[in-house]
Amino acid sequence: MPPSPSIRPQGAEPPIRDRGDACPGALRLHSAADGHLARVRLPAGGLTVRQAEALADAADRLGDGHLSLTSRGNAELRGLADGCGGRLAALLRDAGLLPSERHERVRNILASPLAGLDRHTPSDVRLWARELDGLLCASESATALSGRFLFVLDDGRGDVAALGGDVSLVAERGGAGSGDLSGAGCPAEAGGTALLRVGDDPAALRIAGPDAPRAALTAAEAFLTAAAASGSGAWRVRELPDGHGLTARAVAERLRAAGIGCAEVAGEVAAEVAGAREVTGTPDATGTTDATGAPAPASVPYADSSAPGVIEGTDGARALSVLAPLGRLSVAQWRLLTAVAAEDGAGALRLTPWRGVVIPGLSADTAAPRLRELSAAGLITDPDSPWHRVGACTGRPGCAKSRTDVRADATAAVTAGTPVPGEPGPQPATLRRLPVYWSGCERRCGHPHGAWVDVLATAEGYRVSVVQPQSTPVPHPAPAAPSAAPCPATS
């Protein structure tokens, strides 16, 4: 697939883009070593059963019989034959997966996958996602956004707030901050509030919840204006050069001009309210103080949306969360997930940025047996599974740029109990807590955000590094690559 940006050292100059991005889409297919690749954008990772069945049919009839899950909660089809683009587009169009062909690559909306499902969910930001998607598809200017530009909608648990959004919305717990948002004595509307952030600017803007989708689109339009003025061809907010960076203050001017009230929030307060955390940790939702320093009510801890298992909701409802081994599912596994959603769930599925699937709407009686059925089919259902937090790029033979078959090597390492090569026996606690990602070349396509263990194929074998946010990899000794082994069979 087209290269992801390399890990850029802190302080490095942003790139100058002299062309549009080459991100694949559902209509713009990418030519890979194993055939053509299509990436289907799924705002907030959402799918109806009918749409999931359409993707299974596409993989079965046109692709290699598998679906790949991406770190943005989208789906990819690989091994597509020459000349199948029209048939693929027709399948997706009939299922409602192409609401606007001109916007299909810019519908990059990532949302907290457990929003509205667990016992502590103050805001279903997926409603924001639905409205934002509609606004995007109706916006002429939005067609100029890059296929890499990302909207992130966090429900307040902090699970996706740290995943590199260009425009991020974070719902405030308990509808905090319901005072003046305009600076002119205008009270906030009912519906809670949200913090809007752009790129890496630590400051934020507090906006009324009902205004959140329109504010996010306005912020994206402000980025397009800044990118055009810079002459840099920037695809993302972080790529804007010095002197042309997009700040919360600049976005505030655009919001007010559009009639959207907002109040600027200092970076320290914004970070406290957003509650962003590393995606592998457990959120702290004990409730100590709110943004004003007043005591916040104690609350039920958020469920960890990156972990597999049964999610307990209110009124006895359950949701199932499972992960795909190395982010890849067979059509048979996908159809089983779809059947569970149709027969025992709410008729919907949610893809997660941890390459997993959430099925909402099960009863307490059906959740556990269905989870066992999914486990027997080869899906990751236990947070203690050695496959949990292990990922890999496509590698050979699908990617000609890869130095080796990293997926086979990762499989062999996990099977041997050493997902980080070069560490015989129990892995160090520091490494066990971090995602481990195997890459076949320096592009590291699909690598995690935040802190992670980088297992990179080189001419001499695998080099292991620990990557920290805003840093270059810190070397960690490792020997040559383990012997390749076949991937475990899937049903």
Side-chain angles (χ1 to χ4, degrees):
M1 68 179 64
S4 296
S6 298
I7 301 172
R8 196 166 69 238
Q10 190 171 10
E13 290 294 323
I16 300 296
R17 305 293 191 185
D18 57 3
R19 59 174 177 81
D21 75 276
C23 276
L27 303 177
R28 180 199 283 183
L29 306 187
H30 169 69
S31 180
D34 59 348
H36 293 284
L37 177 153
R39 182 176 299 155
V40 183
R41 265 66 174 192
L42 305 172
L47 282 167
T48 64
V49 162
R50 178 167 171 260
Q51 291 171 335
E53 289 172 344
L55 288 176
D57 290 343
D60 220 1
R61 301 174 193 172
L62 308 175
D64 64 1
H66 292 78
L67 294 101
S68 298
L69 311 186
T70 78
S71 60
R72 291 185 170 190
N74 295 318
E76 287 183 348
L77 304 169
R78 300 190 67 94
L80 298 169
D82 291 338
C84 75
R87 285 179 291 164
L88 174 62
L91 266 174
L92 300 178
R93 192 179 298 113
D94 289 346
L97 290 169
L98 283 177
S100 172
E101 296 188 3
R102 297 184 63 219
H103 296 83
E104 64 100 2
R105 292 193 320 117
V106 304
R107 300 169 67 221
N108 296 301
I109 304 174
L110 183 60
S112 296
L114 298 186
L117 298 183
D118 61 349
R119 291 181 175 178
H120 184 93
T121 300
S123 174
D124 189 349
V125 295
R126 304 177 69 82
L127 300 177
W128 293 350
R130 191 177 309 156
E131 184 177 347
L132 174 58
D133 186 39
L135 292 171
L136 273 174
C137 290
S139 168
E140 179 65 30
S141 61
T143 60
L145 290 172
S146 157
R148 299 181 189 271
F149 193 92
L150 178 63
F151 296 91
V152 167
L153 281 57
D154 191 295
D155 69 356
R157 77 185 66 221
D159 57 346
V160 297
L163 297 188
D166 292 283
V167 175
S168 299
L169 292 170
V170 181
E172 293 192 85
R173 288 182 285 186
S178 57
D180 184 3
L181 298 180
S182 67
C186 177
E189 300 177 50
T193 55
L195 295 181
L196 184 150
R197 304 177 76 166
V198 288
D200 294 323
D201 187 355
L205 302 174
R206 178 171 285 129
I207 56 177
D211 289 334
R214 192 159 61 100
L217 177 60
T218 302
E221 291 170 341
F223 160 76
L224 290 173
T225 300
S230 73
S232 66
W235 298 341
R236 307 199 61 187
V237 170
R238 293 165 185 81
E239 295 179 357
L240 291 169
D242 290 344
H244 294 277
L246 188 64
T247 65
R249 181 162 296 179
V251 172
E253 296 177 4
R254 293 287 291 260
L255 294 181
R256 290 168 181 144
I260 301 173
C262 62
E264 296 182 33
V265 179
E268 296 80 3
V269 176
E272 179 185 350
V273 176
R277 62 177 177 90
E278 290 184 3
V279 298
T280 56
T282 300
D284 177 11
T286 55
T288 51
T289 60
D290 65 13
T292 65
S299 58
V300 177
Y302 290 107
D304 183 355
S305 54
S306 69
V310 176
I311 309 300
E312 295 187 6
T314 57
D315 300 325
R318 299 289 187 271
L320 299 184
S321 177
V322 299
L323 302 175
L326 301 182
R328 192 101 158 121
L329 293 173
S330 69
V331 166
Q333 290 173 319
W334 183 271
R335 290 196 190 279
L336 176 58
L337 289 162
T338 304
V340 172
E343 297 165 8
D344 291 319
L349 303 91
R350 302 180 180 184
L351 304 193
T352 81
W354 300 282
R355 295 178 169 88
V357 180
V358 172
I359 305 175
L362 283 80
S363 68
D365 293 335
T366 58
R370 280 299 205 175
L371 191 69
R372 289 193 294 270
E373 186 178 357
L374 294 172
S375 177
L379 295 162
I380 303 168
T381 60
D382 184 347
D384 293 326
S385 166
W387 291 95
H388 186 205
R389 301 194 182 104
V390 179
C393 71
T394 297
R396 288 183 183 174
C399 178
K401 296 186 183 298
S402 179
R403 296 187 176 94
T404 186
D405 187 344
V406 292
R407 301 174 73 83
D409 291 345
T411 296
V414 173
T415 302
T418 56
V420 179
E423 293 291 344
Q427 303 277 278
T430 307
L431 300 185
R432 288 199 306 270
R433 289 194 298 267
L434 296 177
V436 177
Y437 199 77
W438 294 61
S439 301
C441 74
E442 286 77 7
R443 300 184 309 162
R444 300 174 173 88
C445 294
H447 68 76
H449 288 273
W452 50 285
V453 178
D454 176 41
V455 182
L456 175 66
T458 71
E460 294 76 34
Y462 283 101
R463 186 179 72 224
V464 180
S465 306
V466 177
V467 178
Q468 300 290 343
Q470 300 297 320
S471 73
T472 52
V474 178
H476 186 83
S483 300
C487 289
T490 56
S491 57

